[in-house]
Amino acid sequence: MKCNPVTREILKNALIAIANNMLVAVIRTSRSTVVKNNFDLSAAVCDADGQLVAQGLALPPHLGAVMPALRGCLDYFGDRIGACDILCSNDPYSGGSHLNDLFMFLPIDLEGRRLAYLCLILHHTDMGGRVPGGNATDSTEIYQEGLRIPPSKIVEAGVANECLFRIFEANVRMSDRVLADIRSQIAALNAGGVEFLKLAETYPAEELRAYMADLIEYTERLSRSVIGALPKGVAEFTDWNDDDGTGHGPVRIHTRVEIRGDEILVDFTGTSPQTSGALNPNYWFTVSNVYAALRTLMPPDMPNNAGFYRPIRVSVPEGSFLNPRFPAPVGARGQPSFRVRSVVLGALAQILPDRIPACTGGSEFAIVLAGQTRRQERFLHLEFHNVTGHGGGPNEDGQDGGPYCLANLANVPVEVIEAENPVQVVRYAFIPDTGGPGRYRGALGIVREYRLLEVDAMIQVRSDRQRFPPWGLFGGKSGAAGTTAMNPGTANEQKLPSKFIRTMQMGDVFRVEMPGAGGFGDPLARLPEAVAEDVRQGKMSIAHAHAEYGVVIDPAGLSVLFDETARTRAARSPRSEQSSFSRKPLDGVRP
Amino acid sequence: MRYRLGVDIGGTFTDIALLGADGSLHTKKVLSTPQDYSLAIESGVVALLAEAAVVPDAVKEFVHGSTVAANAIIERRGVKVALVTTLGFQDVLELGRFRSPRLYDLSFRKPPPLVERRLRFEITERILADGTVQEPVSFSDLASVADAIAREGVASIAVCFINAHVNAAHERAAVEFLANRLPRVVVCSSSEFMPQIQEYERTSTTVVNAYVRPVVERYLTALGERMRRIGIRPPIMVMQSSGGIVPSDLASTHPALIIDSGPAAGVVGAQRLGAYFAWGDLLVLDMGGTTAKATIIEDGAFAISNETELGGHASMGQRLMQGDGYVVQVPTIDIAEVGAGGGSLAVADQAGGLRVGPRSAGASPGPVCYARGGTTPTVTDANLILGYLNPSALVDGELTLDSRTASESISRLATSIGMSPIEMAYGIHAIADSTMIQALKAVTSERGRDPAQYTLVAIGGNGPVHAAGLADALRIDRIVVPPVAGVFSALGMLFADVEHQAVAAFHRRLEDATLEELCTAHQPLLNHARELLEEEGYTLQEQQDFRLFVDARYVGQTATLKIPIPLPVNGVRAATIAERFHEAHLATFGYRSGEPIQLTAIKLQARGVAAHPRVPSAIATSRSPRSDRGTRAAYFGSEHGWLDVPVTRRPGIAQDPAPGPLIIEEYETTIVVPPGWTVRRDAWTNLVIERPQPTLGERP
């Protein structure tokens, strides 16, 4: 049948609305902080062949996640799938992502034929395993990470799979919370199913089928035409992860990006081999993150579906850090996924220097505080604070506290943490002098301090960027590196690595300093007045203004001393305009 | 005879409604005067009173809806503000929540903070989550902060401390100290508002209030003076975002309460009419030039959300995608907004895709047919080509239209993606509908409601043009278009009651909460609200209506549900509250659970019951002389094609249903009744558009 652009646009709106309805339903009922504040969930509609047709607003690293996980279920069950079943899986080796992400799929049948699948991915608070929250970086096999649910039916012929529920109940921490979230995931899918069938009352099944295919083809056409209009070129970029989560490292992440015709080729050959820790992203997660980075080149209102994937080719050597073999653990792969996105953007910056800013700030910080309150109730505080702010450039400073456009993520309110856990947040603020120097400054780093009240507890931290801070571009310098410490400024001060698990004692204060973002362009080319304004706002010290920008500030009036500034700047050799894109670790130990 | 005057100012137009006790209704639409909004109000009111031959002295009530507070923030025209925070939290305001409203957009920047960093001061003090004092207020810190603020020439101070929603003592001490030291500076604190948990949102609210307070104060004083000068004596009452009205002195000191004033007025008007006529549950659609807004009214009540975001772009994912506006945490009628209005632009992309909105032609250049330089077709241009709008002029001839250029712009777009011009025009109309359906579903099916069960109330300049198409898609059988639908907010606000909202933190498990605690927590709210009502003249017990609620959720959830608690609280049982909560959760989210219930806040709503009925028993509009205007061709999709449609005015519609197609033209809007629908006029001059129910045996 012939499809017209009006009906296609109307159906696109309707399908995205169905996906968004499911997301809102889950967010409103979910108990999990990861869902409520980090929006670690995604909803989508796939056609009968499992091709992604429409995705709701949600987590960018889930951009390519739906199809492989659905494929895993379809391959296993074949034609043994009924309209009143709900399929589920969290198996990274059957198309899933990591164990906490439980995928569910509701088949939609019309007139006896499969029409579509509704999909809902939800990050659950706990899936069992050796460490609460599932974010341990030092696991060595996936068996340590918790329950692996291969493609299964959590609802069969309309009846909940009691056995599966009991297994969850017996194996996960905070099982009330997890089971409630599983129930709300199922309820949201069923509500989406009702909406989808309403749509089918207006549009005959054949028309819906045709338009779902048309929507994918249209998106492919649009993607190819956008890529075709970009400058052609090849560029490589390398970034590093401090370590692999078990104390070994650093881990090299290397990419080669080529814009060729109307396609983009991304190759990770040259990346370190897979490691023994739990930071390895699996193949599908790596690809998803490539999609997320490349999606920034596309029109904002373009639908996210299988058509967008088609002009993109990603090759990741098997057995490498970004495509590990079974039974590699993958639990904390969210952290290096930031490297995957940023190396692709770093390579693109060389081909498209007027479009891509320097590296986003932050150390991909995540913390778990778990224990029992004085009332003998379990508490588990899980919080992600991945980023700090925007990288500088290409045309303006990186905004301090600027949100990261590749995650719809919120920080957790201090007062909510304190109301629900025996924890006090002592400080949450910008750190002066931490933004990467550049003609356009990178955003400031951020400090957060936690004091444990009334009891001892377990603390687990996952972070990075203590050795390889967020990079600058075109002469801009890196942001300040991250640090972690227990009881800073006291006699008991203890510096900590980026990743650890240990006991925290009542009264201890844990401090994390998250890195600033990279700068863009030569710092000596920054307007002196912009430097003075940072000094007046307490975002930069007079010494830093002098050392990094060659700007001399009068301590009395905090204004620029222009003659001294000109002399200071003239005495310094200008930085090379070309960035070498080679990076040295801060501690000088060569990889 | 007593008259009531309602004035609604927007960025472009100021709408005025004059309502007599006998139901006689006069309206006026004048251009706003943004340099001093009270100017247009004065001249508009004088003109309207003259037209209606009403003496100023007869005006006994004056209600005002105003975008002054909102505009001052969006245009950054507030005053210089200092912020005082707990040690360690100077940057809470600028850090915000890290939400990204526009994924994949590397150039997105959130709005800059309203207080720059060097004017954000920390003092030593600390209250813990349970309200205990860990560190007392340092008055020496406060003294040096006061000195620094004095040097800066700050006009207004906001004070927000961590956990002040649980224990306000430190904020009160700081406010008292600063007000003494700096008598000419306005000092606001987060706890004097409606203090709720979440430090960023509370800080933002307090700062917004401090930032616009002097501006709003000046404006309302000027307006009061102008009104007295022209002989209008009643106190100015201002519409709040929550749907109640407050005296202007309270609105002056708490301008954060009136930010969503205009949209609230339309919803309240619809709610009061719906209750008066027993229309059942309502879905209110307000479609203007840039956006469309949807609200539900159930069991006579609209939903109230805890916060709104100001200056953000209307986007369908608003609840998912916050972060591009200033958060204001005050009770606000829960309205879903989408970027679909008369000015929404229709554009094609290089792959043959078609989009309508959210980009809008705005007031300038406006739709192509306004002939003010617009070249990209809009929804209004499409409606014109479809024959829905009068091809030569709108607003009783005050706005002439250029059909030819509108038609050419649509033809160009149609040719570029291979459609016929009329299919394109119908397509633009339909895509705008599909966007609005998302807003209508956001307030219904997203919350477990079936939109088909509601009566659609269509208001705003463009609402009645699109209402029937939306109703068709959502299987709604009844649409009501109230009189003066295009300026309905100005009328609707006259039906609102005086209302005060108060909130207190009540963060504990239901199983742990005692009746004594509930008594202790709600009594100050009750006393304060009673005092306010008495000051406003509602002295008798039957003039005071109090309602108490708790916000409750299952432990660990985000969204709370508002559960009513009967007053007095003596007989309240925890089991009753629990059962009500479980039932509300089942109705809203589709399941109930045996988990513990977390209470987060108690809320009091206090209403002054007016001596006179708010909704008159009949309405007689001054405009719309009875004159049929012949017929014109209008297009109703491939099913019906072009039809010859009778065009009339509201008085031309009888009490007995007349079959569509029909077009009813009014001063402020146009009502489209497609084939398959009927329309009748009730005693109140509401147009009731219905889909005839198939009788038994007849096939639908």
Side-chain angles (χ1 to χ4, degrees):
Chain A
M1 70 175 283
K2 171 128 174 52
C3 295
N4 79 64
V6 169
T7 309
R8 183 210 299 142
E9 180 70 5
I10 290 171
L11 278 172
K12 181 199 88 179
N13 284 344
L15 294 174
I16 292 175
I18 288 171
N20 284 339
N21 277 10
M22 294 193 285
L23 291 179
V24 172
V26 174
I27 288 169
R28 288 164 69 103
T29 51
S30 171
R31 271 55 150 198
S32 140
T33 321
V34 191
V35 169
K36 290 183 298 188
N37 287 298
N38 295 353
F39 298 90
D40 198 344
L41 75 170
S42 288
V45 179
C46 290
D47 68 13
D49 301 324
Q51 295 284 305
L52 182 69
V53 179
Q55 192 161 15
L57 309 161
L59 199 70
H62 285 166
L63 201 50
V66 171
M67 280 170 51
L70 176 56
R71 178 49 49 205
C73 288
L74 297 184
D75 285 350
Y76 178 75
F77 284 107
D79 55 6
R80 291 174 295 127
I81 300 172
C84 296
D85 294 347
I86 293 181
L87 313 176
C88 80
S89 163
N90 72 347
D91 182 4
Y93 293 97
S94 304
S97 188
H98 69 159
L99 298 181
N100 289 69
D101 281 351
L102 188 59
F103 290 70
M104 289 192 198
F105 303 99
L106 173 72
I108 305 281
D109 286 9
L110 208 66
E111 295 152 8
R113 263 185 78 197
R114 183 73 19 93
L115 181 60
Y117 292 92
L118 300 187
C119 317
L120 195 48
I121 315 174
L122 194 62
H123 180 115
H124 289 273
T125 305
D126 194 88
M127 274 290 147
R130 45 181 273 278
V131 177
N135 243 301
T137 59
D138 59 345
S139 303
T140 53
E141 286 184 319
I142 193 160
Y143 300 109
Q144 298 163 351
E145 298 196 300
L147 276 180
R148 188 154 66 103
I149 313 290
S152 309
K153 292 183 180 179
I154 193 154
V155 175
E156 180 152 30
V159 180
N161 182 339
E162 200 179 320
C163 173
L164 205 44
F165 271 87
R166 292 191 62 203
I167 290 174
F168 279 122
E169 189 172 4
N171 284 279
V172 308
R173 300 174 186 84
M174 316 283 286
S175 60
D176 279 356
R177 190 192 280 187
V178 172
L179 288 179
D181 280 356
I182 288 175
R183 271 192 284 272
S184 85
Q185 193 174 358
I186 292 171
L189 270 174
N190 283 329
V194 170
E195 287 299 306
F196 200 98
L197 289 175
K198 272 192 206 159
L199 193 65
E201 285 172 24
T202 311
Y203 299 93
E206 279 324 300
E207 199 172 331
L208 283 174
R209 266 184 248 280
Y211 273 100
M212 287 196 283
D214 182 54
L215 198 51
I216 293 174
E217 282 159 26
Y218 155 72
T219 305
E220 179 178 358
R221 243 180 1 256
L222 184 58
S223 305
R224 287 189 185 276
S225 94
V226 171
I227 296 168
L230 295 174
K232 307 293 166 260
V234 188
E236 303 199 18
F237 197 90
T238 305
D239 199 353
W240 302 84
N241 221 60
D242 283 357
D243 58 70
D244 70 350
T246 62
H248 302 100
V251 181
R252 182 175 199 253
I253 295 165
H254 181 81
T255 194
R256 175 186 184 277
V257 174
E258 178 175 4
I259 302 179
R260 187 164 77 192
D262 59 1
E263 300 197 341
I264 298 181
L265 285 62
V266 180
D267 185 349
F268 288 96
T269 303
T271 296
S272 295
Q274 80 183 68
T275 67
S276 58
L279 298 179
N280 308 278
N282 69 354
Y283 173 76
W284 298 113
F285 197 61
T286 298
V287 172
S288 268
N289 282 288
V290 171
Y291 291 156
L294 296 178
R295 181 68 180 79
T296 61
L297 303 175
M298 297 291 149
D301 53 4
M302 186 184 85
N304 292 325
N305 66 34
F308 163 61
Y309 307 153
R310 290 178 183 166
I312 299 168
R313 289 174 209 288
V314 187
S315 54
V316 195
E318 204 185 331
S320 74
F321 181 66
L322 300 178
N323 184 9
R325 295 194 181 93
F326 182 79
V330 297
R333 91 296 184 228
Q335 185 268 309
S337 77
F338 281 79
R339 298 295 165 278
V340 175
R341 296 189 291 274
S342 72
V343 293
V344 172
L345 289 173
L348 284 175
Q350 299 163 72
I351 309 173
L352 309 166
D354 55 343
R355 289 189 63 171
I356 311 288
C359 188
T360 298
S363 52
E364 300 96 34
F365 172 73
I367 183 170
V368 176
L369 290 163
Q372 291 212 324
T373 64
R374 266 206 300 243
R375 291 175 51 170
Q376 305 305 312
E377 285 176 354
R378 281 196 88 105
F379 70 91
L380 195 165
H381 172 60
L382 167 61
E383 177 191 347
F384 291 90
H385 199 310
N386 290 315
V387 300
T388 53
H390 296 147
N395 303 309
E396 57 186 322
D397 282 353
Q399 186 176 35
D400 297 323
Y404 181 55
C405 76
L406 294 181
N408 184 11
L409 154 151
N411 54 3
V412 184
V414 167
E415 290 175 345
V416 170
I417 297 176
E418 295 190 1
E420 296 181 355
N421 306 283
V423 173
Q424 179 188 2
V425 177
V426 182
R427 175 178 299 276
Y428 181 40
F430 293 124
I431 318 168
D433 296 343
T434 50
R439 179 174 180 201
Y440 299 112
R441 173 171 73 73
L444 294 178
I446 293 171
V447 58
R448 205 148 152 113
E449 289 176 5
Y450 303 79
R451 177 185 285 139
L452 195 55
L453 306 171
E454 62 173 69
V455 289
D456 292 354
M458 193 276 309
I459 175 171
Q460 187 232 328
V461 165
R462 178 217 79 180
S463 66
D464 202 65
R465 294 264 190 230
Q466 297 198 353
R467 295 185 68 198
F468 295 89
W471 39 264
L473 279 178
F474 306 117
K477 295 169 83 176
S478 298
T483 69
T484 46
M486 199 61 81
N487 299 313
T490 69
N492 299 332
E493 172 162 353
Q494 194 182 355
K495 293 219 179 312
L496 294 167
S498 57
K499 304 170 187 72
F500 65 88
I501 304 179
R502 55 175 276 168
T503 302
M504 185 168 171
Q505 284 170 340
M506 180 176 131
D508 279 349
V509 172
F510 169 71
R511 172 184 174 103
V512 55
E513 292 187 359
M514 305 175 228
F520 189 101
D522 185 355
L524 296 182
R526 184 171 177 75
L527 285 177
E529 196 38 56
V531 174
E533 178 62 13
D534 275 343
V535 172
R536 285 192 286 272
Q537 297 295 350
K539 291 182 170 182
M540 193 184 287
S541 66
I542 291 176
H544 186 81
H546 183 264
E548 295 293 344
Y549 293 91
V551 173
V552 184
I553 305 282
D554 168 19
L558 301 186
S559 56
V560 180
L561 299 172
F562 283 97
D563 292 346
E564 285 87 331
T565 298
R567 275 199 296 281
T568 309
R569 286 185 158 186
R572 292 186 196 175
S573 59
R575 267 172 243 282
S576 123
E577 263 301 295
Q578 275 299 316
S579 166
S580 66
F581 296 105
S582 70
R583 321 236 6 250
K584 285 197 291 287
L586 289 183
D587 51 17
V589 181
R590 293 301 302 179
Chain B
M1 185 169 59
R2 287 174 59 89
Y3 281 87
R4 288 187 272 165
L5 197 55
V7 177
D8 180 31
I9 54 172
T12 315
F13 289 107
T14 296
D15 300 334
I16 309 174
L18 179 69
L19 179 63
D22 61 350
S24 58
L25 175 61
H26 305 263
T27 57
K28 182 109 196 135
K29 203 173 182 69
V30 294
L31 276 173
S32 293
T33 47
Q35 66 285 11
D36 174 6
Y37 285 105
S38 61
L39 196 69
I41 298 179
E42 179 179 342
S43 55
V45 167
V46 169
L48 182 59
L49 290 177
E51 274 171 33
V54 170
V55 292
D57 202 35
V59 176
K60 300 298 181 199
E61 212 180 295
F62 185 107
V63 185
H64 186 28
S66 158
T67 54
V68 168
N71 285 354
I73 294 159
I74 293 164
E75 295 160 16
R76 305 289 306 243
R77 285 188 294 101
V79 299
K80 190 169 181 183
V81 179
L83 171 64
V84 183
T85 72
T86 304
L87 182 66
F89 297 95
Q90 170 189 32
D91 293 322
V92 158
L93 184 71
E94 189 167 351
L95 286 161
R97 284 277 167 255
F98 286 90
R99 296 284 299 278
S100 175
R102 294 215 299 276
L103 296 179
Y104 313 110
D105 179 356
L106 292 168
S107 66
F108 171 75
R109 296 289 183 274
K110 63 184 182 182
L114 293 173
V115 185
E116 54 187 319
R117 191 169 197 259
R118 59 187 197 86
L119 295 179
R120 304 197 299 253
F121 301 94
E122 296 181 339
I123 69 150
T124 301
E125 71 78 37
R126 189 63 150 98
I127 283 165
L128 296 180
D130 62 359
T132 56
V133 174
Q134 186 187 49
E135 188 91 51
V137 173
S138 161
F139 288 95
S140 68
D141 281 7
L142 271 177
S144 30
V145 166
D147 291 345
I149 289 175
R151 282 194 299 276
E152 287 288 347
V154 160
S156 190
I157 301 174
V159 179
C160 187
F161 294 153
I162 298 290
N163 290 324
H165 63 293
V166 186
N167 178 351
H170 285 187
E171 281 192 359
R172 272 194 230 111
V175 168
E176 196 187 321
F177 182 93
L178 292 168
N180 272 330
R181 283 288 178 101
L182 305 164
R184 289 213 304 273
V185 179
V186 170
V187 189
C188 319
S189 72
S190 81
S191 47
E192 80 190 55
F193 239 85
M194 269 157 282
Q196 294 173 70
I197 191 166
Q198 302 206 165
E199 66 287 349
Y200 164 67
E201 289 74 7
R202 216 169 57 247
T203 304
S204 173
T205 306
T206 316
V207 164
V208 162
N209 200 68
Y211 182 71
V212 297
R213 183 171 151 175
V215 177
V216 172
E217 238 160 1
R218 254 195 318 273
Y219 163 73
L220 286 174
T221 308
L223 178 62
E225 278 163 14
R226 281 186 195 277
M227 290 303 105
R228 271 192 300 283
R229 205 154 56 219
I230 60 171
I232 294 194
R233 288 172 220 290
I236 293 172
M237 302 300 289
V238 183
M239 192 77 209
Q240 307 175 78
S241 313
S242 66
I245 53 178
V246 283
S248 64
D249 53 350
L250 200 75
S252 293
T253 52
H254 293 74
L257 294 174
I258 63 166
I259 287 201
D260 276 342
S261 198
V267 176
V268 172
Q271 176 217 16
R272 296 299 151 94
L273 277 194
Y276 188 83
F277 289 103
W279 285 330
D281 294 339
L282 308 179
L283 192 45
V284 184
L285 173 80
D286 182 351
M287 180 183 179
T290 315
T291 65
K293 305 181 187 79
T295 319
I296 47 167
I297 294 164
E298 274 183 325
D299 300 327
F302 36 76
I304 293 277
S305 71
N306 284 336
E307 64 177 48
T308 178
E309 198 172 87
L310 181 66
H313 297 89
S315 81
M316 198 35 241
Q318 207 165 351
R319 297 150 319 263
L320 293 170
M321 307 289 279
Q322 293 165 330
D324 64 348
Y326 296 101
V327 172
V328 182
Q329 206 180 37
V330 299
T332 300
I333 297 182
D334 197 358
I335 297 175
E337 189 173 24
V338 287
S344 294
L345 296 168
V347 289
D349 63 34
Q350 65 265 44
L354 183 62
R355 305 262 185 291
V356 178
R359 286 205 310 126
S360 168
S364 171
V368 177
C369 62
Y370 286 11
R372 291 182 195 148
T375 52
T376 309
T378 64
V379 172
T380 292
D381 294 309
N383 287 337
L384 186 69
I385 302 312
L386 292 168
Y388 300 160
L389 304 182
N390 188 310
S392 55
L394 294 176
V395 204
D396 278 357
E398 288 170 26
L399 178 66
T400 55
L401 299 182
D402 181 350
S403 294
R404 199 177 52 82
T405 49
S407 173
E408 284 165 4
S409 71
I410 287 186
S411 295
R412 271 197 306 276
L413 184 64
T415 311
S416 76
I417 52 175
M419 295 177 72
S420 75
I422 193 64
E423 276 173 347
M424 175 56 69
Y426 196 69
I428 292 171
H429 179 94
I431 293 174
D433 279 357
S434 79
T435 304
M436 286 188 276
I437 285 169
Q438 295 183 47
L440 294 164
K441 284 193 167 180
V443 293
T444 53
S445 49
E446 234 172 59
R447 296 174 198 176
R449 270 67 163 178
D450 178 7
Q453 306 303 314
Y454 293 74
T455 292
L456 183 67
V457 179
I459 57 176
N462 292 302
V465 182
H466 285 260
L470 294 168
D472 264 329
L474 296 169
R475 296 171 179 69
I476 291 171
D477 292 324
R478 182 162 63 173
I479 303 162
V480 174
V481 182
V484 300
V487 295
F488 187 68
S489 285
L491 176 63
M493 65 180 66
L494 297 177
F495 307 153
D497 289 314
V498 165
E499 200 173 277
H500 301 289
Q501 309 261 355
V503 180
F506 199 68
H507 204 276
R508 64 208 71 194
R509 299 268 178 100
L510 177 61
E511 59 202 320
D512 297 341
T514 66
L515 198 57
E516 288 72 30
E517 285 174 329
L518 189 62
C519 273
T520 320
H522 93 288
Q523 202 58 49
L525 303 184
L526 201 59
N527 294 346
H528 181 63
R530 186 172 283 133
E531 260 170 48
L532 285 174
L533 286 180
E534 281 170 4
E535 278 169 29
E536 287 150 10
Y538 300 92
T539 46
L540 304 173
Q541 209 169 9
E542 61 266 28
Q543 294 178 316
Q544 301 177 345
D545 177 55
F546 297 107
R547 295 187 190 190
L548 189 67
F549 303 88
V550 282
D551 276 351
R553 52 177 167 79
Y554 288 121
V555 167
Q557 272 182 320
T558 307
T560 54
L561 292 170
K562 204 164 113 180
I563 307 300
I565 306 259
L567 279 169
V569 296
N570 317 342
V572 178
R573 289 173 52 243
T576 320
I577 300 176
E579 188 49 32
R580 281 183 180 174
F581 171 76
H582 291 309
E583 280 305 305
H585 199 274
L586 178 67
T588 309
F589 299 125
Y591 70 94
R592 49 183 293 166
S593 139
E595 291 165 273
I597 296 168
Q598 177 79 53
L599 308 179
T600 59
I602 56 170
K603 298 189 162 171
L604 183 81
Q605 186 187 61
R607 202 164 59 92
V609 183
H612 302 277
R614 306 299 285 162
V615 178
S617 53
I619 281 281
T621 48
S622 59
R623 291 192 184 268
S624 322
R626 187 191 167 120
S627 66
D628 287 351
R629 313 185 124 199
T631 64
R632 72 168 169 258
Y635 184 79
F636 290 96
S638 52
E639 188 188 342
H640 300 284
W642 287 97
L643 299 174
D644 230 12
V645 182
V647 180
T648 184
R649 310 294 298 235
R650 194 177 286 240
I653 301 296
Q655 301 215 343
D656 292 325
L662 266 172
I663 289 173
I664 300 129
E665 290 184 351
E666 304 210 306
Y667 176 62
E668 319 88 346
T669 187
T670 303
I671 299 120
V672 177
V673 184
W677 291 82
T678 65
V679 58
R680 61 184 168 86
R681 184 167 56 93
D682 70 12
W684 219 76
T685 76
N686 294 299
L687 292 180
V688 183
I689 304 171
E690 284 161 311
R691 195 203 319 264
Q693 297 297 316
T695 50
L696 215 59
E698 192 183 346
R699 293 183 66 85

